[in-house]
mmCIF file of all heavy atoms in Angstrom:
data_model
loop_
_atom_site.group_PDB
_atom_site.id
_atom_site.type_symbol
_atom_site.label_atom_id
_atom_site.label_comp_id
_atom_site.label_asym_id
_atom_site.label_seq_id
_atom_site.Cartn_x
_atom_site.Cartn_y
_atom_site.Cartn_z
ATOM 1 N N ALA A 620 88.486 26.762 -59.540
ATOM 2 C CA ALA A 620 88.568 25.410 -59.862
ATOM 3 C C ALA A 620 87.359 25.037 -60.634
ATOM 4 O O ALA A 620 86.258 25.558 -60.552
ATOM 5 C CB ALA A 620 88.747 24.472 -58.665
ATOM 6 N N GLU A 621 87.449 23.996 -61.547
ATOM 7 C CA GLU A 621 86.390 23.426 -62.224
ATOM 8 C C GLU A 621 85.267 22.992 -61.184
ATOM 9 O O GLU A 621 85.586 22.430 -60.221
ATOM 10 C CB GLU A 621 86.841 22.096 -63.038
ATOM 11 C CG GLU A 621 87.443 22.519 -64.295
ATOM 12 C CD GLU A 621 86.559 22.997 -65.342
ATOM 13 O OE1 GLU A 621 85.635 22.284 -65.822
ATOM 14 O OE2 GLU A 621 86.649 24.271 -65.664
ATOM 15 N N PRO A 622 83.951 23.341 -61.551
ATOM 16 C CA PRO A 622 82.900 22.928 -60.705
ATOM 17 C C PRO A 622 82.793 21.432 -60.624
ATOM 18 O O PRO A 622 83.121 20.753 -61.695
ATOM 19 C CB PRO A 622 81.669 23.485 -61.197
ATOM 20 C CG PRO A 622 82.013 24.061 -62.511
ATOM 21 C CD PRO A 622 83.477 24.135 -62.698
ATOM 22 N N VAL A 623 82.635 20.820 -59.631
ATOM 23 C CA VAL A 623 82.426 19.317 -59.398
ATOM 24 C C VAL A 623 81.062 18.971 -59.958
ATOM 25 O O VAL A 623 80.082 19.419 -59.498
ATOM 26 C CB VAL A 623 82.566 18.917 -57.854
ATOM 27 C CG1 VAL A 623 82.414 17.443 -57.780
ATOM 28 C CG2 VAL A 623 83.874 19.426 -57.403
ATOM 29 N N PRO A 624 80.952 18.089 -60.928
ATOM 30 C CA PRO A 624 79.704 17.718 -61.481
ATOM 31 C C PRO A 624 78.938 16.750 -60.457
ATOM 32 O O PRO A 624 79.614 15.915 -59.998
ATOM 33 C CB PRO A 624 79.945 17.053 -62.797
ATOM 34 C CG PRO A 624 81.327 16.652 -62.759
ATOM 35 C CD PRO A 624 82.106 17.428 -61.682
ATOM 36 N N VAL A 625 77.611 17.018 -60.212
ATOM 37 C CA VAL A 625 76.835 16.059 -59.485
ATOM 38 C C VAL A 625 75.722 15.639 -60.402
ATOM 39 O O VAL A 625 74.967 16.504 -60.837
ATOM 40 C CB VAL A 625 76.262 16.776 -58.172
ATOM 41 C CG1 VAL A 625 75.293 15.846 -57.473
ATOM 42 C CG2 VAL A 625 77.370 17.306 -57.322
ATOM 43 N N LEU A 626 75.677 14.415 -60.752
ATOM 44 C CA LEU A 626 74.656 13.948 -61.736
ATOM 45 C C LEU A 626 73.373 13.522 -61.060
ATOM 46 O O LEU A 626 73.350 12.797 -60.132
ATOM 47 C CB LEU A 626 75.262 12.823 -62.537
ATOM 48 C CG LEU A 626 76.483 13.092 -63.400
ATOM 49 C CD1 LEU A 626 76.987 11.968 -64.045
ATOM 50 C CD2 LEU A 626 76.227 14.272 -64.294
ATOM 51 N N VAL A 627 72.293 13.997 -61.712
ATOM 52 C CA VAL A 627 70.958 13.620 -61.306
ATOM 53 C C VAL A 627 70.467 12.585 -62.327
ATOM 54 O O VAL A 627 70.424 12.849 -63.504
ATOM 55 C CB VAL A 627 69.948 14.747 -61.277
ATOM 56 C CG1 VAL A 627 68.631 14.282 -60.881
ATOM 57 C CG2 VAL A 627 70.461 15.934 -60.480
ATOM 58 N N PRO A 628 70.143 11.265 -61.962
ATOM 59 C CA PRO A 628 69.799 10.339 -62.977
ATOM 60 C C PRO A 628 68.389 10.848 -63.614
ATOM 61 O O PRO A 628 67.611 11.539 -63.056
ATOM 62 C CB PRO A 628 69.399 9.092 -62.097
ATOM 63 C CG PRO A 628 69.419 9.480 -60.694
ATOM 64 C CD PRO A 628 70.093 10.742 -60.584
ATOM 65 N N ASP A 629 68.245 10.443 -64.916
ATOM 66 C CA ASP A 629 67.115 10.943 -65.619
ATOM 67 C C ASP A 629 65.886 10.375 -64.932
ATOM 68 O O ASP A 629 65.788 9.177 -64.600
ATOM 69 C CB ASP A 629 67.161 10.357 -67.050
ATOM 70 C CG ASP A 629 66.361 11.201 -67.998
ATOM 71 O OD1 ASP A 629 66.252 12.452 -67.792
ATOM 72 O OD2 ASP A 629 65.896 10.711 -68.991
ATOM 73 N N GLY A 630 64.925 11.275 -64.712
ATOM 74 C CA GLY A 630 63.725 10.852 -64.027
ATOM 75 C C GLY A 630 63.815 11.100 -62.497
ATOM 76 O O GLY A 630 62.801 11.095 -61.750
ATOM 77 N N GLY A 631 65.006 11.302 -62.047
ATOM 78 C CA GLY A 631 65.184 11.473 -60.557
ATOM 79 C C GLY A 631 64.608 12.939 -60.193
ATOM 80 O O GLY A 631 64.835 13.837 -60.946
ATOM 81 N N ASP A 632 64.044 12.981 -58.968
ATOM 82 C CA ASP A 632 63.411 14.234 -58.563
ATOM 83 C C ASP A 632 64.152 14.925 -57.437
ATOM 84 O O ASP A 632 63.757 15.975 -57.068
ATOM 85 C CB ASP A 632 61.877 14.037 -58.260
ATOM 86 C CG ASP A 632 61.248 15.413 -58.372
ATOM 87 O OD1 ASP A 632 61.592 16.189 -59.247
ATOM 88 O OD2 ASP A 632 60.280 15.656 -57.649
ATOM 89 N N THR A 633 65.143 14.171 -56.797
ATOM 90 C CA THR A 633 65.886 14.849 -55.758
ATOM 91 C C THR A 633 67.359 14.620 -56.036
ATOM 92 O O THR A 633 67.715 13.641 -56.716
ATOM 93 C CB THR A 633 65.551 14.299 -54.348
ATOM 94 O OG1 THR A 633 65.839 12.918 -54.298
ATOM 95 C CG2 THR A 633 64.068 14.636 -53.831
ATOM 96 N N ALA A 634 68.066 15.611 -55.551
ATOM 97 C CA ALA A 634 69.660 15.433 -55.678
ATOM 98 C C ALA A 634 70.226 15.685 -54.390
ATOM 99 O O ALA A 634 69.742 16.415 -53.602
ATOM 100 C CB ALA A 634 70.036 16.396 -56.803
ATOM 101 N N GLN A 635 71.459 15.028 -54.173
ATOM 102 C CA GLN A 635 72.122 15.401 -52.981
ATOM 103 C C GLN A 635 73.564 15.891 -53.209
ATOM 104 O O GLN A 635 74.248 15.251 -54.008
ATOM 105 C CB GLN A 635 72.252 14.068 -52.133
ATOM 106 C CG GLN A 635 70.881 13.669 -51.529
ATOM 107 C CD GLN A 635 71.016 12.607 -50.530
ATOM 108 O OE1 GLN A 635 71.799 11.734 -50.578
ATOM 109 N NE2 GLN A 635 70.202 12.842 -49.487
ATOM 110 N N LEU A 636 73.873 17.011 -52.667
ATOM 111 C CA LEU A 636 75.164 17.658 -52.791
ATOM 112 C C LEU A 636 75.890 17.461 -51.439
ATOM 113 O O LEU A 636 75.297 17.777 -50.462
ATOM 114 C CB LEU A 636 74.978 19.071 -53.123
ATOM 115 C CG LEU A 636 74.159 19.446 -54.369
ATOM 116 C CD1 LEU A 636 73.871 20.885 -54.422
ATOM 117 C CD2 LEU A 636 74.815 18.919 -55.632
ATOM 118 N N ARG A 637 77.192 17.094 -51.589
ATOM 119 C CA ARG A 637 77.917 16.766 -50.322
ATOM 120 C C ARG A 637 79.083 17.753 -50.313
ATOM 121 O O ARG A 637 79.729 17.964 -51.390
ATOM 122 C CB ARG A 637 78.465 15.320 -50.288
ATOM 123 C CG ARG A 637 77.399 14.394 -50.148
ATOM 124 C CD ARG A 637 77.905 12.954 -50.442
ATOM 125 N NE ARG A 637 76.796 12.085 -50.647
ATOM 126 C CZ ARG A 637 76.092 11.520 -49.679
ATOM 127 N NH1 ARG A 637 76.439 11.746 -48.399
ATOM 128 N NH2 ARG A 637 75.076 10.689 -50.023
ATOM 129 N N CYS A 638 79.457 18.235 -49.127
ATOM 130 C CA CYS A 638 80.526 19.059 -49.068
ATOM 131 C C CYS A 638 81.183 18.761 -47.635
ATOM 132 O O CYS A 638 80.566 18.468 -46.635
ATOM 133 C CB CYS A 638 80.116 20.587 -49.043
ATOM 134 S SG CYS A 638 81.415 21.778 -48.912
ATOM 135 N N ARG A 639 82.634 18.844 -47.572
ATOM 136 C CA ARG A 639 83.283 18.571 -46.326
ATOM 137 C C ARG A 639 84.556 19.452 -46.222
ATOM 138 O O ARG A 639 85.208 19.595 -47.297
ATOM 139 C CB ARG A 639 83.739 17.092 -46.501
ATOM 140 C CG ARG A 639 84.043 16.371 -45.171
ATOM 141 C CD ARG A 639 84.056 14.885 -45.454
ATOM 142 N NE ARG A 639 85.353 14.414 -45.741
ATOM 143 C CZ ARG A 639 86.082 13.675 -44.995
ATOM 144 N NH1 ARG A 639 85.629 13.250 -43.669
ATOM 145 N NH2 ARG A 639 87.278 13.263 -45.275
ATOM 146 N N ALA A 640 84.801 19.935 -45.095
ATOM 147 C CA ALA A 640 85.967 20.908 -44.950
ATOM 148 C C ALA A 640 86.487 20.659 -43.614
ATOM 149 O O ALA A 640 85.763 20.325 -42.573
ATOM 150 C CB ALA A 640 85.536 22.238 -45.262
ATOM 151 N N GLN A 641 87.754 20.996 -43.457
ATOM 152 C CA GLN A 641 88.306 20.989 -42.101
ATOM 153 C C GLN A 641 89.185 22.258 -41.903
ATOM 154 O O GLN A 641 89.690 22.808 -42.821
ATOM 155 C CB GLN A 641 89.124 19.764 -41.804
ATOM 156 C CG GLN A 641 90.414 19.705 -42.591
ATOM 157 C CD GLN A 641 91.372 18.573 -42.165
ATOM 158 O OE1 GLN A 641 91.250 18.092 -41.046
ATOM 159 N NE2 GLN A 641 92.315 18.198 -42.910
ATOM 160 N N GLY A 642 89.321 22.703 -40.660
ATOM 161 C CA GLY A 642 90.089 23.842 -40.325
ATOM 162 C C GLY A 642 90.246 23.964 -38.738
ATOM 163 O O GLY A 642 89.561 23.356 -38.053
ATOM 164 N N VAL A 643 91.244 24.736 -38.497
ATOM 165 C CA VAL A 643 91.419 25.053 -37.050
ATOM 166 C C VAL A 643 91.490 26.603 -37.044
ATOM 167 O O VAL A 643 92.409 27.233 -37.826
ATOM 168 C CB VAL A 643 92.775 24.514 -36.602
ATOM 169 C CG1 VAL A 643 92.936 24.926 -35.132
ATOM 170 C CG2 VAL A 643 92.759 23.038 -36.669
ATOM 171 N N PRO A 644 90.660 27.312 -36.337
ATOM 172 C CA PRO A 644 89.495 26.832 -35.663
ATOM 173 C C PRO A 644 88.483 26.171 -36.599
ATOM 174 O O PRO A 644 88.574 26.333 -37.740
ATOM 175 C CB PRO A 644 88.967 28.061 -34.912
ATOM 176 C CG PRO A 644 89.699 29.258 -35.341
ATOM 177 C CD PRO A 644 90.861 28.763 -36.248
ATOM 178 N N GLY A 645 87.531 25.567 -35.958
ATOM 179 C CA GLY A 645 86.439 24.750 -36.647
ATOM 180 C C GLY A 645 85.739 25.571 -37.733
ATOM 181 O O GLY A 645 85.757 26.769 -37.691
ATOM 182 N N VAL A 646 85.299 24.851 -38.711
ATOM 183 C CA VAL A 646 84.722 25.490 -39.842
ATOM 184 C C VAL A 646 83.102 25.370 -39.948
ATOM 185 O O VAL A 646 82.553 24.357 -39.476
ATOM 186 C CB VAL A 646 85.190 24.626 -41.174
ATOM 187 C CG1 VAL A 646 84.525 25.124 -42.419
ATOM 188 C CG2 VAL A 646 86.690 24.792 -41.272
ATOM 189 N N GLN A 647 82.486 26.468 -40.316
ATOM 190 C CA GLN A 647 81.127 26.524 -40.547
ATOM 191 C C GLN A 647 80.873 26.382 -42.036
ATOM 192 O O GLN A 647 81.655 27.068 -42.784
ATOM 193 C CB GLN A 647 80.490 27.859 -40.057
ATOM 194 C CG GLN A 647 80.204 27.948 -38.589
ATOM 195 C CD GLN A 647 79.096 26.944 -38.182
ATOM 196 O OE1 GLN A 647 79.321 26.098 -37.393
ATOM 197 N NE2 GLN A 647 77.880 27.181 -38.683
ATOM 198 N N LEU A 648 79.853 25.619 -42.417
ATOM 199 C CA LEU A 648 79.580 25.554 -43.958
ATOM 200 C C LEU A 648 78.215 26.170 -44.180
ATOM 201 O O LEU A 648 77.244 26.031 -43.334
ATOM 202 C CB LEU A 648 79.542 23.975 -44.318
ATOM 203 C CG LEU A 648 80.762 23.212 -44.189
ATOM 204 C CD1 LEU A 648 80.513 21.855 -44.600
ATOM 205 C CD2 LEU A 648 81.905 23.792 -44.988
ATOM 206 N N HIS A 649 78.129 26.788 -45.274
ATOM 207 C CA HIS A 649 76.737 27.145 -45.813
ATOM 208 C C HIS A 649 76.770 27.055 -47.271
ATOM 209 O O HIS A 649 77.802 27.084 -47.945
ATOM 210 C CB HIS A 649 76.219 28.431 -45.278
ATOM 211 C CG HIS A 649 76.879 29.662 -45.910
ATOM 212 N ND1 HIS A 649 78.061 30.333 -45.244
ATOM 213 C CD2 HIS A 649 76.653 30.437 -46.908
ATOM 214 C CE1 HIS A 649 78.379 31.351 -45.918
ATOM 215 N NE2 HIS A 649 77.614 31.440 -47.043
ATOM 216 N N TRP A 650 75.506 27.122 -47.922
ATOM 217 C CA TRP A 650 75.416 26.883 -49.330
ATOM 218 C C TRP A 650 74.855 28.175 -49.992
ATOM 219 O O TRP A 650 74.050 28.947 -49.415
ATOM 220 C CB TRP A 650 74.452 25.791 -49.675
ATOM 221 C CG TRP A 650 74.964 24.513 -49.290
ATOM 222 C CD1 TRP A 650 74.838 23.873 -47.973
ATOM 223 C CD2 TRP A 650 75.685 23.543 -49.983
ATOM 224 N NE1 TRP A 650 75.448 22.619 -48.001
ATOM 225 C CE2 TRP A 650 75.932 22.418 -49.261
ATOM 226 C CE3 TRP A 650 76.140 23.574 -51.356
ATOM 227 C CZ2 TRP A 650 76.663 21.259 -49.725
ATOM 228 C CZ3 TRP A 650 76.772 22.559 -51.890
ATOM 229 C CH2 TRP A 650 77.093 21.283 -51.002
ATOM 230 N N GLU A 651 75.351 28.441 -51.169
ATOM 231 C CA GLU A 651 74.868 29.564 -52.018
ATOM 232 C C GLU A 651 74.260 29.024 -53.346
ATOM 233 O O GLU A 651 74.858 27.972 -53.790
ATOM 234 C CB GLU A 651 75.888 30.564 -52.216
ATOM 235 C CG GLU A 651 76.425 31.281 -51.099
ATOM 236 C CD GLU A 651 77.600 32.130 -51.337
ATOM 237 O OE1 GLU A 651 78.188 32.167 -52.498
ATOM 238 O OE2 GLU A 651 78.004 32.943 -50.437
ATOM 239 N N HIS A 652 73.277 29.600 -53.869
ATOM 240 C CA HIS A 652 72.737 29.280 -55.153
ATOM 241 C C HIS A 652 72.327 30.540 -55.864
ATOM 242 O O HIS A 652 71.748 31.414 -55.324
ATOM 243 C CB HIS A 652 71.522 28.263 -54.855
ATOM 244 C CG HIS A 652 70.829 27.852 -56.187
ATOM 245 N ND1 HIS A 652 71.457 27.428 -57.299
ATOM 246 C CD2 HIS A 652 69.546 27.992 -56.566
ATOM 247 C CE1 HIS A 652 70.580 27.067 -58.189
ATOM 248 N NE2 HIS A 652 69.426 27.359 -57.756
ATOM 249 N N GLN A 653 72.723 30.648 -57.200
ATOM 250 C CA GLN A 653 72.413 31.906 -57.902
ATOM 251 C C GLN A 653 72.889 33.164 -57.207
ATOM 252 O O GLN A 653 72.208 34.122 -57.105
ATOM 253 C CB GLN A 653 71.012 31.911 -58.254
ATOM 254 C CG GLN A 653 70.613 30.850 -59.189
ATOM 255 C CD GLN A 653 69.124 30.710 -59.456
ATOM 256 O OE1 GLN A 653 68.307 31.156 -58.511
ATOM 257 N NE2 GLN A 653 68.727 30.070 -60.397
ATOM 258 N N GLY A 654 74.075 33.078 -56.528
ATOM 259 C CA GLY A 654 74.673 34.211 -55.833
ATOM 260 C C GLY A 654 74.131 34.542 -54.485
ATOM 261 O O GLY A 654 74.506 35.559 -53.915
ATOM 262 N N HIS A 655 73.132 33.834 -53.945
ATOM 263 C CA HIS A 655 72.581 34.092 -52.680
ATOM 264 C C HIS A 655 72.751 32.940 -51.759
ATOM 265 O O HIS A 655 72.647 31.774 -52.162
ATOM 266 C CB HIS A 655 71.127 34.505 -52.815
ATOM 267 C CG HIS A 655 70.871 35.680 -53.774
ATOM 268 N ND1 HIS A 655 71.196 36.897 -53.424
ATOM 269 C CD2 HIS A 655 70.438 35.663 -55.028
ATOM 270 C CE1 HIS A 655 70.933 37.678 -54.426
ATOM 271 N NE2 HIS A 655 70.422 36.947 -55.372
ATOM 272 N N ALA A 656 72.845 33.224 -50.450
ATOM 273 C CA ALA A 656 72.792 32.124 -49.438
ATOM 274 C C ALA A 656 71.468 31.512 -49.542
ATOM 275 O O ALA A 656 70.510 32.182 -49.615
ATOM 276 C CB ALA A 656 73.107 32.765 -48.109
ATOM 277 N N LEU A 657 71.421 30.216 -49.398
ATOM 278 C CA LEU A 657 70.114 29.475 -49.394
ATOM 279 C C LEU A 657 69.355 29.886 -48.049
ATOM 280 O O LEU A 657 69.881 29.919 -46.975
ATOM 281 C CB LEU A 657 70.377 28.050 -49.351
ATOM 282 C CG LEU A 657 70.881 27.299 -50.593
ATOM 283 C CD1 LEU A 657 70.859 25.866 -50.454
ATOM 284 C CD2 LEU A 657 70.110 27.841 -51.800
ATOM 285 N N SER A 658 68.091 30.218 -48.233
ATOM 286 C CA SER A 658 67.349 30.658 -47.160
ATOM 287 C C SER A 658 66.709 29.360 -46.444
ATOM 288 O O SER A 658 66.255 28.487 -47.128
ATOM 289 C CB SER A 658 66.162 31.664 -47.547
ATOM 290 O OG SER A 658 64.991 30.976 -47.586
ATOM 291 N N PRO A 659 66.863 29.346 -45.079
ATOM 292 C CA PRO A 659 66.496 28.054 -44.370
ATOM 293 C C PRO A 659 65.019 27.814 -44.559
ATOM 294 O O PRO A 659 64.686 26.644 -44.366
ATOM 295 C CB PRO A 659 66.841 28.516 -42.914
ATOM 296 C CG PRO A 659 67.462 29.766 -42.901
ATOM 297 C CD PRO A 659 67.389 30.455 -44.209
ATOM 298 N N ASP A 660 64.215 28.749 -44.885
ATOM 299 C CA ASP A 660 62.715 28.390 -44.993
ATOM 300 C C ASP A 660 62.310 28.128 -46.330
ATOM 301 O O ASP A 660 61.193 28.017 -46.667
ATOM 302 C CB ASP A 660 61.958 29.584 -44.504
ATOM 303 C CG ASP A 660 62.254 30.929 -45.187
ATOM 304 O OD1 ASP A 660 63.387 30.966 -45.846
ATOM 305 O OD2 ASP A 660 61.411 31.880 -45.217
ATOM 306 N N GLU A 661 63.250 27.929 -47.253
ATOM 307 C CA GLU A 661 63.002 27.438 -48.546
ATOM 308 C C GLU A 661 62.875 25.909 -48.581
ATOM 309 O O GLU A 661 63.820 25.257 -48.423
ATOM 310 C CB GLU A 661 64.080 27.968 -49.607
ATOM 311 C CG GLU A 661 63.378 28.127 -50.975
ATOM 312 C CD GLU A 661 64.372 28.786 -51.973
ATOM 313 O OE1 GLU A 661 65.345 29.348 -51.565
ATOM 314 O OE2 GLU A 661 64.136 28.596 -53.101
ATOM 315 N N ALA A 662 61.622 25.468 -48.825
ATOM 316 C CA ALA A 662 61.258 24.082 -48.663
ATOM 317 C C ALA A 662 62.017 23.143 -49.486
ATOM 318 O O ALA A 662 62.321 22.021 -49.191
ATOM 319 C CB ALA A 662 59.777 23.924 -48.665
ATOM 320 N N ARG A 663 62.415 23.565 -50.697
ATOM 321 C CA ARG A 663 63.065 22.544 -51.590
ATOM 322 C C ARG A 663 64.463 22.309 -51.275
ATOM 323 O O ARG A 663 65.115 21.335 -51.814
ATOM 324 C CB ARG A 663 62.868 23.060 -53.041
ATOM 325 C CG ARG A 663 63.446 24.314 -53.382
ATOM 326 C CD ARG A 663 63.332 24.571 -54.857
ATOM 327 N NE ARG A 663 64.000 23.469 -55.791
ATOM 328 C CZ ARG A 663 64.569 23.600 -56.879
ATOM 329 N NH1 ARG A 663 64.534 24.823 -57.408
ATOM 330 N NH2 ARG A 663 65.008 22.570 -57.530
ATOM 331 N N PHE A 664 65.102 23.047 -50.353
ATOM 332 C CA PHE A 664 66.443 22.814 -50.035
ATOM 333 C C PHE A 664 66.562 22.375 -48.491
ATOM 334 O O PHE A 664 66.027 23.069 -47.606
ATOM 335 C CB PHE A 664 67.296 24.122 -50.087
ATOM 336 C CG PHE A 664 67.354 24.628 -51.524
ATOM 337 C CD1 PHE A 664 66.938 25.854 -51.748
ATOM 338 C CD2 PHE A 664 67.866 23.790 -52.692
ATOM 339 C CE1 PHE A 664 66.947 26.441 -53.090
ATOM 340 C CE2 PHE A 664 67.955 24.410 -53.926
ATOM 341 C CZ PHE A 664 67.400 25.637 -54.086
ATOM 342 N N GLN A 665 67.127 21.268 -48.319
ATOM 343 C CA GLN A 665 67.321 20.799 -46.838
ATOM 344 C C GLN A 665 68.764 20.465 -46.635
ATOM 345 O O GLN A 665 69.347 19.748 -47.285
ATOM 346 C CB GLN A 665 66.440 19.599 -46.591
ATOM 347 C CG GLN A 665 64.974 19.911 -46.442
ATOM 348 C CD GLN A 665 64.158 18.822 -45.793
ATOM 349 O OE1 GLN A 665 64.300 17.657 -46.133
ATOM 350 N NE2 GLN A 665 63.377 19.190 -44.824
ATOM 351 N N GLU A 666 69.305 21.136 -45.491
ATOM 352 C CA GLU A 666 70.667 20.886 -45.182
ATOM 353 C C GLU A 666 70.743 20.199 -43.883
ATOM 354 O O GLU A 666 70.083 20.440 -42.878
ATOM 355 C CB GLU A 666 71.373 22.243 -45.104
ATOM 356 C CG GLU A 666 72.866 22.054 -45.141
ATOM 357 C CD GLU A 666 73.654 23.046 -44.273
ATOM 358 O OE1 GLU A 666 72.988 23.988 -43.691
ATOM 359 O OE2 GLU A 666 74.845 22.895 -44.200
ATOM 360 N N HIS A 667 71.736 19.199 -43.912
ATOM 361 C CA HIS A 667 72.059 18.531 -42.628
ATOM 362 C C HIS A 667 73.601 18.708 -42.447
ATOM 363 O O HIS A 667 74.386 18.401 -43.391
ATOM 364 C CB HIS A 667 71.726 16.984 -42.846
ATOM 365 C CG HIS A 667 72.137 16.179 -41.698
ATOM 366 N ND1 HIS A 667 71.650 16.456 -40.370
ATOM 367 C CD2 HIS A 667 72.835 15.103 -41.635
ATOM 368 C CE1 HIS A 667 72.196 15.637 -39.598
ATOM 369 N NE2 HIS A 667 72.851 14.666 -40.375
#
């Protein structure tokens, strides 16, 4: 599917990406960037 665009305002220094899924059994979510899972110790990415 077409990627969903998330716009960063000009001059903005942080961006927020949202994702939501449902399933039975329950779903775990994680993020990938440039083909790799985001590493939890990478300070510039924070996931909640």
